[in-house]
Amino acid sequence: MVRSRRMFSLLALCSPLWMSCDPPIPAPGGPGDMATVMLRHLDPALPWWGDNRKRLDALVEKLGKASASYDANRKPIALFDWDNTIIKNDVGDMALFWMLKNDKILQPPGLNWRATNFMMSADGLTALKQACDPLASPGQPLPTSKMAGAACADAILSIYLDNRGKTGLAAFSGYDHRRMEPTYAWAVQLQAGYSPAEISLFAKDAINEALAASVGATQTIGTRQVNAYLRVYDQMKDLISALQTNGFDVWIISASPQSAVEAAATRVGVAPDHI
């Protein structure tokens, strides 16, 4: 990988890992300048809609290391959404589904579900209290993988996926919809009781299972059929690699739990400190 404006071995850049190799382009300073850099275009074997690949290659040429205006101290920044942009489906969903089917959600302190989210409505609270409160003592795992806990799992999924409580009314209220999606926040708040390291391991297990599942696979959580698979889009992985190689600073911004996106993003070469 090129880490400066000095040209390194072409073997590293022309290997199958990179999939596409373009001729070196002299950086400002003339043909003999040691600052020659390698331009990395997108893999032509990967299909893009319309002329998008051509337009992205032109963007890289204009703003990347091969550009006369490129400044390594002021790198161009590329910001990506994660779910259904870099990957097919949603890692936040997968993390919560995995916790439900492995009995990892803990009964809240004092059986107080509003402690998990202060915006929980009366209808949401009623659904959880009736379905989940009798199943475990405060701080103990809810048996959401078992038949006895199916109604509790259904209540949690109804609130998370549909924002619906016991009678079908909204499970959250009093929030600014322009700035907040309380169901996404609640998925993170349900991780209370575990260390960051434990949550990271949960996320990795969930992602590994979903990547190993066949395309289109579903699973039953409670009595509900939900998605069971993830796939990284090859085009997006290639685009991120091309941008990074051409000197862009690539970041992921997501509404999914930080731990889940961190665990998944390493598969496309984005480090946790860029999530």
Side-chain angles (χ1 to χ4, degrees):
M1 178 177 179
V2 176
R3 299 186 68 86
S4 72
R5 287 184 175 269
R6 187 180 301 276
M7 185 172 69
F8 287 77
S9 168
L10 292 180
L11 291 176
L13 291 169
C14 296
S15 69
L17 175 64
W18 294 104
M19 297 178 283
S20 176
C21 190
D22 297 287
I25 293 182
D33 197 305
M34 287 300 292
T36 302
V37 298
M38 180 66 67
L39 176 65
R40 157 84 154 87
H41 277 151
L42 295 176
D43 181 2
L46 294 173
W48 286 82
W49 187 86
D51 63 349
N52 282 350
R53 181 167 61 84
K54 179 180 178 180
R55 293 170 64 189
L56 287 166
D57 280 341
L59 177 71
V60 166
E61 292 177 13
K62 179 180 178 181
L63 300 178
K65 286 183 177 180
S67 168
S69 62
Y70 182 80
D71 182 353
N73 294 316
R74 295 172 58 86
K75 293 181 178 181
I77 298 173
L79 306 176
F80 287 89
D81 177 50
W82 183 254
D83 301 302
N84 288 301
T85 298
I86 306 301
I87 64 163
K88 171 64 176 176
N89 294 323
D90 190 296
V91 294
D93 289 355
M94 291 302 170
L96 180 60
F97 298 163
W98 188 93
M99 291 186 72
L100 285 167
K101 71 181 183 180
N102 287 278
D103 299 340
K104 296 298 184 182
I105 294 178
L106 305 179
Q107 187 80 274
L111 303 180
N112 179 16
W113 284 95
R114 183 160 276 141
T116 65
N117 189 301
F118 71 90
M119 293 177 288
M120 184 80 68
S121 71
D123 214 44
L125 290 172
T126 298
L128 293 167
K129 287 185 72 65
Q130 291 184 0
C132 302
D133 280 8
L135 300 179
S137 301
Q140 295 303 304
L142 290 163
T144 46
S145 70
K146 301 173 178 61
M147 185 63 66
C152 180
D154 287 348
I156 290 172
L157 287 177
S158 178
I159 291 171
Y160 171 69
L161 294 174
D162 310 319
N163 192 15
R164 290 290 180 265
K166 177 64 177 177
T167 65
L169 297 177
F172 297 95
S173 62
Y175 61 92
D176 184 345
H177 69 275
R178 295 168 298 181
R179 302 182 62 186
M180 182 63 160
E181 176 47 76
T183 60
Y184 294 165
W186 192 55
V188 181
Q189 291 161 327
L190 288 177
Q191 298 172 353
Y194 297 100
S195 70
E198 289 173 318
I199 292 298
S200 180
L201 289 176
F202 294 169
K204 289 176 182 177
D205 286 345
I207 291 164
N208 288 338
E209 285 185 13
L211 289 171
S214 60
V215 172
T218 60
Q219 57 188 329
T220 301
I221 307 293
T223 64
R224 187 160 177 169
Q225 289 288 115
V226 295
N227 176 50
Y229 81 98
L230 297 171
R231 286 296 185 276
V232 175
Y233 290 123
D234 292 335
Q235 289 89 341
M236 300 306 291
K237 182 177 182 179
D238 183 53
L239 174 59
I240 287 173
S241 174
L243 290 170
Q244 291 172 328
T245 305
N246 285 291
F248 284 70
D249 195 19
V250 177
W251 290 75
I252 304 296
I253 299 178
S254 177
S256 282
Q258 181 91 12
S259 56
V261 183
E262 287 179 358
T266 56
R267 294 175 179 272
V268 297
V270 180
D273 64 0
H274 274 56
I275 310 298

